[in-house]
Amino acid sequence: MEAKTVVKILNDLVAIKIEDLNIKQLLTILEAVKQEQDFSDSNDADCLWKMSVQFLHIQQSFVSNYAVQRETPNDQGTPEGDLINLPEQLIFLQAVDRIRQFTLNLYLPQELRGLTKCDLKMIIQLESAERIRRLEYCVEAFRKLFESKIVAIQTQLENCILEYIAGVFSYYFLLGDFSEMRESMAFKGIGMFSVDQIFKSLLIIKGIPKLPAELSKQTHLELLRLTGEPGGLPVLCRTLLANVPTDEAPTWKKSEIIAKIVASKGHTKKFYRQVLRDVFVLYETSLFSNEQEENLPYATTCVECMRQLYLLPPAYQELRDTIDNYFVGWVDQMTEPEEMLNGSIVLERSELVKALYINYMAFSGSSCSSVSSSILTASLHIFLQLYSMIPTGAEERKYLQTLIVFCLSNRGKNELERILQELFLGNKNSNSMKKIHSRICVKEAPEGGTYSLQVGPPSEDDEHMVAPTLVDILKESNRNLLIYDVFVLLLKLLEQTSSEINRNVLFDAEEQDAFKCNTFYQKYLLIQALMDLVSHKHLHNQMYENPTEILAFIKSFVIKSIDGVQVNHNLLEIILSLFQELLQRLQTNDDVQEIMKLLIRFKNSTYCNDQLSAQIDFICNGSKLKHDSEQSPYQNAFSLCSDKEPYCKVYGTTLMIGLLKKRDQESLIQKHAVLILALNNLRNVESYAFLNSVRLLVALCDVLEADTIEGLIKEYQCTDNDVDYRLKVGEATIKTVEAIGPIAFKYREQLINCFLHECKSPIDELRASSLANLGNVCKILSYQVHTFFYEMFLVVKSTVETDCYLPARRAAILVLSQLIEGMDNLLDYQEYLSSIYRFLKYITESEKDDVTRLQAAVGLDHLKVKTKDFLNVANTAMAVGKLEKEIRIFGIKEQEAAERRRNTRGSETILTKMLD
């Protein structure tokens, strides 16, 4: 057939008006076809079918011979594809759509004929076998048409594609056997279309109201098969979530439908694994695309899919593990870095932000629309550590705060108690919570604005520093019920910690000291957390509205104290301090009245000491709080100290110091609260406010000496605190120790070990400050530190030889010079004198810095003076006299006495050489 004839037929077919389209007009168009042209089924008596076959043949001829051109091969000799001649393209596509109406559409089952718009309204009556034969012929004709890729991708043929797919399924449905459908050429021809088009067509077919059950089942199976193929789930989401004007179903409902499809039981492992991979890819693509608002429904759908997959029974544990690893798998890099060399980058900031944002979007909704929060429980410790390490103001801190609060809010009471116990008290025998490796630190870029998590030098493993961070996060959140629950559970932990102190444990002396020290730190953190929370406005409201649980705890503890089961004066004092205002405000409450009676009983018992007796008197018989405006002197001073204005802080601090000196009863009762307030006020940038806070700490030493020193040391060692604040705490510690005077000797070990440890800090300013503080402590203690001398000498020597920070080197050599000046008896240091002399001599000869050389020379002069005094005849005679007297008094054996004389002579020889 000539090209002109084919084009004329197609033009004539398209030119017919819709209202004039009928069989007569179609037959008229075909008169241009020569009678001798051979068509398949041309001898059929049905003129309609004969006409249909002719049009199908003309359609294929146009594609094969005239309209489609093969492109010339490229440089590699491969054809790049097909092209439709542009002048005939629109006519051809319109003609194909009209041919579809009286061929393929005509022989579909009645239920499927309404799939697409059809201008030619025709109904035919055929036997089943004949309908199947004609449908098969039409499907095959269109399959050959779509073999040309350029034809298969045309959006104008959307109705043809839909009816072709419906025709394939209908043919095997009419046959009554779907067993061979997926092996047939017609079914394989469906693969020529895009996955989006196939999904859309199958969903339209599946949505027909009266679709036969078997046909619906096969369509459903095909949809599931396609969903389990790579890239299938995103196509399903795009198809169902598309904005169709006629579709009134809300997006969340569609998301639930998709999630139910993929999270149903009974799919194969391959299906679940591929779906999860597609969910992760689609989720990240939706979150990080340029059009986040438009793609938000896809992200929500992915979250719903993961939520329902996570809720499957234990037999599907592999899916849970995969989802766990997706959200918190990156945490393993923080616990066990692959490279342990200093400077090795564990995580860039961009990677951390991405991981946290992925978690934030999955867990920031309600518990009904978010993934199970149990995924985050094991990583809570790391989240809190990261929150304290990341620079203030970074957006990732908001993500971490949301994740932490969301996880805690969705925990039961027992599980929340276990989490708080591990966060505040630590549990080395438990592996339920992961912790950041001790060598990982935050390294900010020189130009600023970014940072990375890198492997650095080892740092002290302090498990308790996450506790203050948690309290700050809770106070910033609006989860009042969570804050209340945490407060109640912390009270129970405080009681538990205090009871452990009195426990008889089989520890040696060193282990007992370490245990008591650790328990003190835990108790200090719990008290600080409780004081911070009890002053929180929202918790106040909660306690006054529903005080039953708090009052029950107080009542239970007082009863235990009366019975002698648990008499802990310090803890009872703290509990009464925490709830003094609550008890006074609710005195009309029946429970409070009963507590007051119990307190009076305890006061009259043998277990009550004078301080507790005074505190109980103040609570039971003190001034009643009739109005909010009425404040006691302590409350007035405390309120002023808590004020943001520096002049108010200074005035309030002065008042508080006066109250402590006058031994004001309420101030003495609340001394722990005053200590925490004083430590917080050290952060003030105003120098006079800082100095007054130091004065307050000194005044506290009269009533709370040990806790004040321990609190200062703990704040100084806390790596989560700002460097400026730690430097201020160091200065405050020295001034406090100066005020204590010689009595501070009993805290010698804690103070010296604290500053010695910080002499190895990676922060330059802190190293210099610690060395200076170390020298001041030794001076205050009158240099009675010979048991620590060698360790201090090694730290000084290491600092001078290896430290690149000049002020630290100067401070180190000054400390050594002061230590030598403070030496009382050279015999206590005889093992180190030679090393000290050689070291100072080396510094004076090789050091480039003039100040350091001068200090080393001063140290040598001090050493020479001490040596001359020691070698003085009178001093030597006195020493020998003392030695003989010691022999007479204590009965030292002659052999031991001779050994000590030899040691003395050896020391004299060394000193003589040093003088030479």
Side-chain angles (χ1 to χ4, degrees), residues 204-224:
I204 292 173
I205 297 171
K206 184 75 166 59
I208 293 176
K210 296 182 179 180
L211 190 68
E214 186 61 25
L215 187 55
S216 176
K217 175 185 175 182
Q218 293 301 322
T219 308
H220 180 75
L221 292 175
E222 183 61 19
L223 280 170
L224 287 179

Side-chain angles (χ1 to χ4, degrees), residues 633-634 637-638 641 649-664 667-668 674 678 688-703:
Y634 163 77
F638 191 90
C641 288
K649 284 184 182 293
V650 173
Y651 181 60
T653 303
T654 305
L655 292 177
M656 188 67 75
I657 292 172
L659 292 173
L660 290 173
K661 288 182 177 179
K662 293 176 183 177
R663 292 296 191 269
D664 176 72
S667 301
L668 295 179
V674 177
Y688 57 96
F690 163 74
L691 292 174
N692 275 276
S693 298
V694 175
R695 288 176 54 220
L696 180 56
L697 287 168
V698 172
L700 273 171
C701 287
D702 292 339
V703 295

